Amino acid sequence: MKRTHLLLSALLLAIAASSQAGETELQALALSHQHAALETMARERLTRDSLDDAALWYWGLDAASEPRLRVELLARVQDCVRGKPQSARCQNLWGVLIAARLMEEIDLGALGAIGEVREHFENAVMLAPQDYALRHDLQAFYLEVPGVLGGSHRKARAQAEALARTDPARAALLNAEVAISDKDFDAAESLLAAVQPGDDRLLAADLQAVQADLGTAMIEADAPARARALFERLLRQDPNAPELYIGLGRSLMGLKKASAAVPAFEQALRLDARCHVQHRLAAAAEAAGDKARAIAAWQRVLGEPAEKAHADAARDRLAALSH
């Protein structure tokens, strides 16, 4: 699955979509990127009730990109599905955890695992058909995966159609994701401009997540100037969102402005140390001619299990910089 920011978007959408009783503290810890505190609270709740799907879901979405926790979380979510088969959240989290592993470790066994992701995402939507966050994850699967492996633009559009009557604003967000996938950025911007959250902070968070998707797609389509303008506008609205600084940094790198990208990546890490952008910071610092900062960042890449996909590059660059 190509969209490496899927986990972050999933967490933002999950926080925005859920306001059930007893979840306020979990939401607050997730929003403020207090990973250790969130894990502690989730473990305490799961000690009292091993099938507490709210605690497991928030913790799991927050930690899915952490290899050291993923094995434990997967075992817990499998127990949850067996013990609480009507839990849409546990079905969704099972798919998220497998998808997170696939993003890091594509191998010959991936084909079967891709089908497993689809199965659990589809099960989650079947159990909670009005849940936007769950439909968004399923739609992302349909858009990112080739048709022979279960992808389908028709099914992706159907996710928007399913919410058109009950939640037209979020249906527009899902339609925007289809336009983004088609690289029809004008259509996506038009759809997003029509969504006016007002005082609805939950809808505002949903909107920002899709806007970030749009900016990332612009970068990948070699339109960094357009992406930069978008991320700068979003940061004026929300200067405490680490994912927006990552998007800005990537845009600046695309514009060959490495010196400006370095502080953007550093600010993202200050806001959330679990951003896993050390490799981007290292590359930006090296391109900017800051050898010491680049070496330090490449060394941190080697020390982070979640950055292992960039370990070979880190070793190569450290060897080159040592001369």
Side-chain angles (χ1 to χ4, degrees):
M1 298 176 71
K2 296 178 289 184
R3 188 170 295 174
T4 56
H5 58 286
L6 171 62
L7 296 176
L8 181 58
S9 295
L11 178 59
L12 290 172
L13 292 167
I15 292 166
S18 179
S19 58
Q20 297 180 25
E23 298 184 21
T24 303
E25 290 179 286
L26 292 167
Q27 291 176 15
L29 292 173
L31 278 171
S32 57
H33 313 292
Q34 296 184 57
H35 308 295
L38 176 57
E39 179 180 345
T40 297
M41 176 174 289
R43 287 187 182 278
E44 289 173 353
R45 288 180 54 150
L46 289 163
T47 297
R48 295 192 296 269
D49 177 6
S50 63
L51 300 181
D52 183 339
D53 57 354
L56 182 57
W57 195 52
Y58 279 101
W59 176 30
L61 292 179
D62 186 66
S65 63
E66 299 299 306
R68 68 179 182 85
L69 290 172
R70 205 157 48 225
V71 174
E72 176 189 354
L73 285 164
L74 187 56
R76 285 180 178 273
V77 81
Q78 289 169 341
D79 288 342
C80 179
V81 169
R82 284 190 289 266
K84 202 171 186 177
Q86 297 305 305
S87 172
R89 286 174 161 180
C90 288
Q91 290 283 352
N92 171 260
L93 181 57
W94 192 331
V96 167
L97 293 170
I98 299 299
R101 181 179 65 80
L102 290 177
M103 289 176 188
E104 297 172 4
E105 303 174 3
I106 293 295
D107 55 29
L108 292 178
L111 296 182
I114 288 173
E116 189 177 355
V117 173
R118 181 188 63 201
E119 176 187 354
H120 291 295
F121 281 173
E122 288 178 342
N123 287 346
V125 168
M126 180 179 64
L127 290 166
Q130 294 305 306
D131 191 307
Y132 167 72
L134 305 188
R135 282 200 180 274
H136 185 272
D137 279 355
L138 178 58
Q139 184 193 62
F141 176 91
Y142 288 142
L143 291 174
E144 295 292 347
V145 172
V148 295
L149 297 178
S152 168
H153 260 52
R154 177 182 61 80
K155 290 182 179 179
R157 292 188 186 93
Q159 304 313 306
E161 293 166 4
L163 294 184
R165 291 184 180 179
T166 58
D167 196 344
R170 289 180 174 84
L173 298 184
L174 293 174
N175 278 320
E177 290 285 26
V178 175
I180 292 167
S181 178
D182 290 337
K183 296 183 174 56
D184 189 347
F185 301 146
D186 290 339
E189 286 188 317
S190 178
L191 285 162
L192 295 175
V195 178
Q196 298 295 322
D199 295 330
D200 187 340
R201 66 180 184 84
L202 306 181
L203 180 57
D206 290 344
L207 173 61
Q208 184 185 97
V210 180
Q211 289 170 320
D213 283 351
L214 173 59
T216 299
M218 289 173 173
I219 295 168
E220 294 171 351
D222 198 25
R226 191 170 181 180
R228 177 187 181 179
L230 173 59
F231 283 115
E232 287 179 338
R233 175 169 62 82
L234 295 176
L235 280 166
R236 286 193 292 271
Q237 300 168 3
D238 183 3
N240 296 310
E243 67 278 4
L244 300 182
Y245 286 100
I246 295 171
L248 177 60
R250 292 187 62 193
S251 303
L252 292 166
M253 287 296 288
L255 292 167
K256 311 300 183 186
K257 297 180 180 295
S259 295
V262 168
F265 291 133
E266 289 182 331
Q267 181 62 11
L269 287 163
R270 277 191 289 271
L271 290 168
D272 183 2
R274 198 183 273 179
C275 281
H276 305 314
V277 292
Q278 291 291 352
H279 65 288
R280 296 192 184 280
L281 172 58
E286 187 172 350
D290 191 336
K291 183 176 178 179
R293 187 172 288 178
I295 289 173
W298 283 125
Q299 288 173 336
R300 288 193 294 271
V301 169
L302 293 178
E304 291 191 11
E307 293 260 18
K308 69 178 182 179
H310 308 285
D312 288 343
R315 283 187 283 268
D316 288 344
R317 297 317 307 151
L318 286 169
L321 290 168
S322 66
H323 297 305

